[in-house]
Structure formats: structure tokens, C-alpha cells
Amino acid sequence: MNYAIILASGSGSRINKDKPKQFFEINGKTVLEYTICAFEKNEMTDRIILVVHESYIEFCSNFKFKKLYKITKGGLTRQESSFAGVDLIVEDNAKVLIHDGARPFVKNEIINNCYKALDNFEAVNTGIETSDTIMEVKNNIISDIPKRETLLRAQTPQGFKSGLIKTAHKLAKEQNIKVTDDAGLVVSLNLAPVYVVLGDIENIKITYPDDLKKAIEKLRQN
């Protein structure tokens, strides 16, 4: 069984709107619906689990997607929300992709490549090269400039065998480990190698007002 968990419980505070960015409407559909559509149309995805703020559960229950399996309440952090979705998967041998609800431009090929990579690895992360030099800074002073060729910008989907990611979340809770995403959990706990699937520069996460403007332009062209 192949699951897609879509995380959409964030408040979108950095975008300065009266509602979270994933619920902003473009052409009569929310950003979140465009994201769900990518997995609804994907031939390898069997079930979709949606994680939203409790105030949007009723709204999302009106979505008409055949693969929408369950809608659950998110937590205060991304990590808590991810665990809420992962915890709904009973099987330990399923393939699970975890994706940002505000990342509507993920391509079908990337989704497929993540599922396929889980045939050989227990964990995968989507990533793209960085064209900018990355500086490590402490107290406004550069402490290091890592080589660009060793750096990638992380995207989603991230993919896992369900048994591994459930174990990662349970251990993190026991050990009070806090990270920014699920691949970070696996790496910090040293549970398995995380294979990198090539992402796409258009697979942006809508975070700031300029991102929303670009998304509106792109979605209105479709």
C-alpha cells in the first residue's frame, strides 16, 4: 500500500493573509486542493491522509477526492502533525510519502521516483542543487562556507517505509528530539541512510507573499 500524507495544518503567518496559505483560493480551488490533485492523479498513490488544523477539518471533509482516506488534526509543530498522520498507518511495510500542503507544483515523475526509490532504501528525500553560496554564520560573522557541490536544498515529498518512520517518531518523542522535517529525524537517530531523489526548481513551497504571487500566475495559466 502506498500512502501520501499531506501536511496542511500550518498557520501561514509569514504570508500575511487572513487565512493559511494552503487555503488561499485560486481559480475557485484552494492551494491545498491543487496539491491533493497531484497525488489523486498519481498512478502509484493508493491512499491520501490529510493533516489540517482542527478548525479546517469540516471544510476539508467536503473535498471530493476518491483517494482521500482520512483527515486528522495536526499538532503545534510540523513534527507533531507528521506524527499524527503517520500514526494512522497500521501497516509496517507500506510506502509513505510526506508532502507539504503548500507545495502544489510537485510533478508526477518526482512522486513516482520517490515511491520507486523505496524499493531499495527505507528513507528518501527530494533535493535540488543550490545556485547560491551558503554561509554558516555566528553572531553575524561568517564561520564557514561549505562547498556548494556538497549541498542540496531539501524539498518534499520525503518518503519512508512506514515501520521506519513510525519508529523514528516514537523514539523522537521518548528522547525529546526536535527537528524540522522527517528525514531529519531518521538522520539524527541514525536509523537508516536517506537516499536523495532529484527534485525540481518549480516545486516551490508557498511561504512568502512573493511565492503566492508566482503561484497565482502559474496556476492561472493552467
Side-chain angles (χ1 to χ4, degrees):
M1 187 70 70
N2 292 344
Y3 289 86
I5 298 174
I6 299 178
L7 304 179
S9 61
S11 64
S13 57
R14 286 174 289 187
I15 210 157
N16 248 354
K17 292 288 180 183
D18 59 354
K19 63 178 72 172
K21 60 209 171 187
Q22 59 271 26
F23 292 103
F24 190 83
E25 288 193 11
I26 304 172
N27 290 349
K29 284 200 302 189
T30 63
V31 168
L32 178 57
E33 286 174 279
Y34 285 103
T35 304
I36 297 172
C37 275
F39 291 90
E40 176 82 3
K41 294 176 181 177
N42 176 261
E43 62 274 19
M44 295 186 72
T45 300
D46 298 308
R47 290 176 171 176
I48 297 169
I49 294 173
L50 190 55
V51 184
V52 298
H53 188 276
E54 60 182 337
S55 61
Y56 280 93
I57 290 177
E58 184 177 354
F59 176 84
C60 294
S61 66
N62 293 313
F63 288 166
K64 306 298 182 185
F65 294 103
K66 292 181 180 179
K67 294 182 181 180
L68 186 52
Y69 173 58
K70 288 185 179 179
I71 302 171
T72 193
K73 179 178 74 171
L76 296 177
T77 65
R78 186 189 190 282
Q79 188 169 323
E80 290 177 2
S81 295
S82 181
F83 179 68
V86 167
D87 200 42
L88 293 176
I89 299 174
V90 177
E91 306 98 317
D92 284 332
N93 60 348
K95 294 179 180 180
V96 182
L97 299 191
I98 301 174
H99 188 67
D100 300 321
R103 207 181 281 269
F105 302 116
V106 61
K107 292 181 179 175
N108 197 61
E109 181 183 8
I110 293 175
I111 297 172
N112 285 342
N113 287 344
C114 286
Y115 281 129
K116 290 173 183 176
L118 290 172
D119 288 333
N120 299 307
F121 296 89
E122 288 189 275
V124 302
N125 199 152
T126 310
I128 59 172
E129 294 180 353
T130 175
S131 58
D132 298 315
T133 296
I134 305 297
M135 303 176 293
E136 187 175 325
V137 177
K138 294 179 181 176
N139 299 320
N140 290 332
I141 302 294
I142 296 175
S143 59
D144 191 23
I145 301 179
K147 292 182 179 179
R148 258 188 331 203
E149 55 266 32
T150 67
L151 301 173
L152 291 177
R153 290 158 51 197
Q155 297 183 330
T156 64
Q158 296 180 336
F160 309 90
K161 292 292 182 62
S162 54
L164 175 75
I165 195 59
K166 285 195 283 184
T167 297
H169 274 285
K170 288 173 184 175
L171 289 174
K173 198 169 184 179
E174 291 170 5
Q175 300 176 30
N176 197 30
I177 294 173
K178 308 293 184 185
V179 295
T180 57
D181 62 25
D182 296 88
L185 277 183
V186 174
V187 171
S188 63
L189 290 163
N190 196 28
L191 294 178
V194 181
Y195 179 78
V196 178
V197 170
L198 184 63
D200 183 81
I201 196 168
E202 294 184 0
N203 183 26
I204 64 167
K205 182 181 180 184
I206 300 171
T207 306
Y208 299 103
D210 191 52
D211 299 327
L212 185 57
K213 289 179 184 177
K214 291 176 183 175
I216 290 171
E217 290 173 8
K218 186 174 177 63
L219 290 171
R220 281 179 177 166
Q221 292 170 7
N222 295 340

